């Protein structure tokens, strides 16, 4: 399995200890609750920019102390700043800014040491920017995703010599998202790349089996949950991964089913679907006691397509003009069946009066436009706009249902992903097997044909749609085509009518799952 990673700075989680004791939380930065320093109501803002960490190694850490009543910057501030990762110190030093607005330019590299470029103020020896160059930190600072812990001490304010007698210590953690890429195989043994993006801590123990994604993340269930805001994970699924695309998903944390509103679908991209798992603080509190029964140090996630349909799907146009809803019937889209799509447009900022609007509807499949029409429809109406479309057998697979130029605005657009099934790939709960295949099973069980010939025959029958098998997760390629004896017995009994079709099919599914029988498109 191949795993690549890139990292994105996205949230800061703060806790403060000793004197005084305050709490906060932010995304990319935070303005902390005010505290009393030298008879002033002082607040500290902390931010990291840019908030996206990419191939550019440059970013800024900013600390700003200000009067929370007037927003005036408190000058001559000296900070002691320590940064840790996984309990190991990255750097710890003293920094100073005459205006109380400290900016540290950070260049992350693969060197062995942290170096600081600047000048020092003479009282406490805090690093400062020079007249011509910024204060710069170089070295292995943000080299991976996960949780970065820090401690900030306020040592002086108002003047360089005004050293604070009362120790002010602020502890917290900067969460850096890490994108992991996992290569998995679908039921046709085609390789797909899934992305899991954690906006809290490092992802571990990824597994994909039985059309279910599982992964874990370090999490202290015994911590003070008031310091948290939200746990957010993204799973990005390529739009060609048809058997994992669904109108609804079921997700659990430590085996506890999450409510529907915690799992949302974003089909804005043409290339992939983003599934958001969002567990807010109140939900974490609700499930805390039960989750701890599984683990008090781990948050285990599971995600799989739901067996039930959820309508309508929805998106908001990039210009924030419209919210668009889509549903269809029948719920499963089959080729050669007439499908009725229902589209509803709702203005976001308006008096919600009913009106007509023109728009373009197109369906894109493999970069080809297979349907296109310029239409007019209702806006802010209880009655949806309906469109009847029939897909041919050659149009099975995934497709993009695109609505664009809504109201003549080029930015009023959006996309939904459809899964179109042909009769040969319908995943039903029962399978119809042609009678003549029983002869093949009998010959194989008697040794008239060998194992390889039987496997090749079954592969051909499945590929051609003659033998229809319910969805089964494809195992990795087996080093041996050794077939258990009980499957041969099943084949013999089935050919004689002693056991039913479903029992024989279970044997075929076993061969697929074990990788003995490889299904290819």
């Amino acid at each position: 399995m191949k795993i690549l990673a890139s990292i994105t700075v996205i949230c800061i989680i703060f806790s403060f200890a000793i004197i005084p004791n305050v709490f906060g939380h932010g995304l990319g930065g935070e303005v902390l609750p005010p505290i009393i320093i030298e008879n002033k109501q002082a607040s500290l803002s902390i931010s990291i920019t840019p908030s996206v960490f990419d191939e550019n190694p440059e970013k800024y850490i900013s600390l700003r102390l200000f009067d929370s009543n007037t927003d005036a910057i408190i000058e001559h501030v000296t900070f002691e700043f320590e940064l840790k990762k996984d309990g190991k110190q990255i750097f710890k030093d003293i920094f100073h800014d005459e205006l109380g607005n400290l900016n540290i330019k950070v260049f992350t590299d693969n060197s062995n040491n942290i170096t600081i470029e600047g000048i020092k103020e003479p009282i406490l020896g805090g690093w400062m920017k020079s007249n011509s160059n910024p204060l710069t930190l170089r070295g292995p600072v943000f080299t991976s995703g996960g949780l970065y812990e820090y401690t900030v001490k306020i040592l002086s304010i108002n003047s360089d010599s005004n050293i604070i007698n009362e120790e002010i210590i602020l502890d917290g953690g900067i969460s850096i998202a890490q994108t992991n890429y996992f290569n998995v195989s679908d039921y046709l043994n085609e390789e797909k790349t899934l992305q899991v993006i954690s906006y809290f801590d490092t992802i571990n123990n990824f597994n994909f089996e039985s059309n279910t994604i599982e992964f874990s993340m370090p999490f202290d269930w015994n911590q003070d949950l008031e310091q948290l805001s939200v746990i957010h994970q993204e799973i990005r699924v390529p739009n060609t991964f048809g058997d994992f695309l669904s109108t609804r998903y079921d997700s659990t944390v430590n085996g506890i089913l999450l409510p529907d509103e915690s799992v949302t679908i974003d089909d804005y991209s043409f290339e992939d679907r983003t599934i958001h798992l969002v567990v807010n603080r109140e939900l974490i509190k609700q499930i805390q006691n039960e989750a701890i029964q599984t683990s008090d140090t781990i948050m285990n996630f599971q995600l799989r397509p739901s067996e039930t349909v959820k309508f309508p799907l929805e998106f908001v146009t990039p210009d924030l003009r419209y919210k668009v809803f889509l549903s269809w019937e029948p719920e499963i889209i089959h080729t050669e069946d007439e499908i009725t799509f229902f589209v509803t447009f709702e203005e976001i900022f308006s008096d919600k009066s009913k009106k007509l609007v023109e728009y373009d509807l197109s369906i894109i499949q493999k970069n080809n436009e297979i349907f296109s029409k310029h239409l007019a429809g209702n806006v802010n109406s209880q009655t949806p706009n309906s469109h009847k479309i029939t897909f041919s057998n050659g149009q099975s697979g995934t497709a993009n249902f695109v609505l664009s130029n809504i109201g003549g605005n080029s930015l009023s657009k959006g996309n939904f992903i459809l899964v179109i099934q042909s009769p040969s790939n319908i995943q039903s709960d029962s399978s119809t097997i042609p009678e003549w295949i029983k002869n093949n099973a009998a010959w194989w069980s008697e040794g008239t044909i060998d194992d390889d010939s039987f496997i090749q025959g079954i592969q051909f029958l499945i590929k051609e749609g003659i033998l229809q098998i319910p969805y089964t997760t494809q195992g990795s390629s087996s080093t041996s085509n050794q077939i258990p004896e009980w499957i041969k017995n099943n084949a013999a009994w089935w050919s004689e009518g002693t056991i039913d079709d479903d029992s024989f099919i279970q044997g075929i599914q076993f061969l697929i799952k074990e990788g003995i029988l490889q299904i290819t498109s």
Side-chain angles (χ1 to χ4, degrees):
M1 179 180 294
K2 179 174 66 178
I3 304 176
L4 307 175
S6 62
I7 55 180
T8 305
V9 179
I10 62 91
C11 71
I12 298 180
I13 302 165
F14 298 98
S15 66
F16 300 88
I18 308 183
I19 305 174
N21 186 20
V22 294
F23 305 97
H25 178 93
L27 299 176
E30 178 70 310
V31 178
L32 306 180
I35 55 176
I36 302 296
I37 305 178
E38 300 269 312
N39 298 318
K40 287 186 178 181
Q41 288 275 357
S43 290
L44 181 70
S45 69
I46 302 178
S47 64
I48 298 177
T49 55
S51 60
V52 176
F53 191 98
D54 50 24
E55 294 181 358
N56 184 351
E58 179 181 325
K59 70 177 59 169
Y60 287 86
I61 301 174
S62 299
L63 290 84
R64 173 177 173 263
L65 195 66
F66 65 96
D67 189 317
S68 60
N69 292 323
T70 65
D71 200 40
I73 294 177
I74 298 174
E75 300 182 348
H76 302 281
V77 181
T78 304
F79 306 88
E80 183 184 87
F81 187 23
E82 179 183 18
L83 190 68
K84 295 180 179 179
K85 178 72 165 65
D86 298 326
K88 297 180 180 179
Q89 186 183 90
I90 298 173
F91 70 84
K92 178 181 179 181
D93 220 309
I94 297 174
F95 303 91
H96 180 83
D97 192 87
E98 292 292 285
L99 297 178
N101 191 9
L102 177 67
N103 289 300
I104 305 173
K105 190 174 186 178
V106 179
F107 283 96
T108 296
D109 60 30
N110 295 320
S111 61
N112 295 322
N113 300 308
I114 300 289
T115 59
I116 301 176
E117 301 170 5
I119 61 174
K120 288 192 173 184
E121 63 87 22
I123 306 278
L124 295 174
W127 285 100
M128 303 171 55
K129 65 181 180 180
S130 67
N131 291 331
S132 56
N133 295 306
L135 177 60
T136 302
L137 197 82
R138 296 181 185 272
V141 183
F142 300 110
T143 59
S144 66
L147 195 62
Y148 287 77
E149 300 172 312
Y150 70 84
T151 300
V152 174
K153 295 181 182 180
I154 308 297
L155 302 182
S156 73
I157 64 170
N158 297 330
S159 74
D160 293 355
S161 60
N162 183 35
I163 300 172
I164 298 174
N165 293 323
E166 184 180 34
E167 190 174 49
I168 308 293
I169 301 178
L170 306 93
D171 295 312
I174 304 171
S175 181
I176 300 181
Q178 181 161 346
T179 302
N180 296 288
Y181 297 83
F182 300 100
N183 289 341
V184 302
S185 296
D186 65 10
Y187 82 106
L188 292 175
N189 205 33
E190 293 180 351
E191 187 175 89
K192 308 294 182 184
T193 301
L194 302 177
Q195 299 179 47
V196 180
I197 305 171
S198 174
Y199 292 98
F200 191 82
D201 208 339
T202 305
I203 292 300
N204 301 302
N205 305 317
F206 177 88
N207 185 54
F208 180 80
E209 187 175 357
S210 300
N211 218 26
T212 300
I213 293 173
E214 295 178 332
F215 58 91
S216 63
M217 179 192 77
F219 185 76
D220 180 8
W221 286 96
N222 294 307
Q223 67 183 284
D224 184 351
L225 298 180
E226 291 298 330
Q227 301 173 38
L228 295 175
S229 176
V230 68
I231 303 295
H232 180 196
Q233 310 288 359
E234 282 184 8
I235 295 90
R236 295 186 181 174
V237 182
N239 65 2
T240 57
F241 202 166
D243 46 315
F244 199 80
L245 299 176
S246 175
T247 61
R248 183 172 182 256
Y249 292 88
D250 294 330
S251 183
T252 63
V253 166
N254 286 21
I256 305 162
L257 184 65
L258 299 181
D260 283 350
E261 57 267 25
S262 296
V263 187
T264 57
I265 297 171
D266 180 2
D267 279 344
Y268 184 75
S269 169
F270 261 60
E271 287 71 37
D272 53 40
R273 161 175 288 177
T274 300
I275 304 164
H276 298 272
L277 302 184
V278 179
V279 189
N280 61 33
R281 177 173 55 212
E282 291 308 310
L283 181 55
I284 293 173
K285 289 180 180 179
Q286 291 174 23
I287 67 176
Q288 180 183 24
N289 290 336
E290 187 176 352
I292 286 176
Q293 303 305 313
T294 299
S295 172
D296 62 356
T297 60
I298 297 293
M299 188 174 280
N300 294 307
F301 295 89
Q302 185 183 88
L303 179 75
R304 64 174 300 139
S306 176
E307 295 181 358
T308 60
V309 174
K310 180 183 178 182
F311 283 138
L313 305 179
E314 64 179 85
F315 68 72
V316 174
T317 59
D319 56 3
L320 301 180
R321 287 175 181 262
Y322 300 96
K323 183 178 284 188
V324 183
F325 303 89
L326 176 70
S327 60
W328 58 82
E329 60 181 31
E331 294 175 348
I332 306 300
I333 302 174
H334 294 158
T335 58
E336 304 300 331
D337 287 352
E338 184 177 72
I339 309 299
T340 303
F341 292 93
F342 301 98
V343 180
T344 301
F345 300 104
E346 179 184 297
E347 287 182 306
I348 298 176
F349 302 107
S350 78
D351 58 5
K352 301 296 191 293
S353 61
K354 295 180 181 179
K355 61 189 71 173
L356 287 176
V357 67
E358 295 185 42
Y359 59 97
D360 293 319
L361 167 60
S362 59
I363 299 179
I364 311 297
Q365 189 175 64
K366 298 178 181 178
N367 297 320
N368 294 319
E369 192 175 68
I370 62 175
F371 179 90
S372 178
K373 200 168 186 179
H374 183 74
L375 300 157
N378 298 317
V379 177
N380 303 323
S381 173
Q382 296 291 329
T383 303
N385 306 288
S386 62
H387 310 287
K388 297 183 182 296
I389 302 174
T390 301
F391 299 97
S392 67
N393 281 327
Q395 294 171 343
S396 63
T398 58
N400 296 90
F401 187 98
V402 184
L403 296 159
S404 59
N405 296 316
I406 305 171
N409 299 305
S410 61
L411 290 178
S412 293
K413 60 183 179 180
N415 164 68
F416 297 100
I417 297 177
L418 307 178
V419 179
I420 306 166
Q421 296 191 19
S422 65
S424 62
N425 64 16
I426 296 173
Q427 296 172 10
S428 60
D429 291 330
S430 61
S431 302
T432 302
I433 306 176
E435 190 68 22
W436 58 265
I437 297 179
K438 288 189 175 182
N439 295 330
N440 288 14
W443 295 334
W444 173 58
S445 65
E446 295 167 357
T448 304
I449 59 176
D450 59 22
D451 289 357
D452 287 342
S453 298
F454 174 75
I455 290 295
Q456 291 171 10
I458 293 296
Q459 286 173 327
F460 173 80
L461 294 173
I462 294 175
K463 184 176 180 180
E464 295 301 312
I466 299 170
L467 180 59
Q468 296 178 18
I469 302 295
Y471 171 77
T472 306
T473 300
Q474 175 74 65
S476 58
S477 180
S478 177
T479 56
S480 170
N481 274 9
Q482 183 82 30
I483 298 176
E485 193 64 30
W486 65 266
I487 294 182
K488 285 190 177 183
N489 292 336
N490 274 13
W493 295 333
W494 174 66
S495 67
E496 297 167 356
T498 305
I499 62 175
D500 59 17
D501 289 357
D502 286 343
S503 298
F504 176 70
I505 289 298
Q506 288 172 10
I508 301 301
Q509 288 180 291
F510 174 85
L511 297 179
I512 295 172
K513 186 176 180 180
E514 293 299 310
I516 298 171
L517 199 163
Q518 294 288 317
I519 307 300
T520 59
S521 57

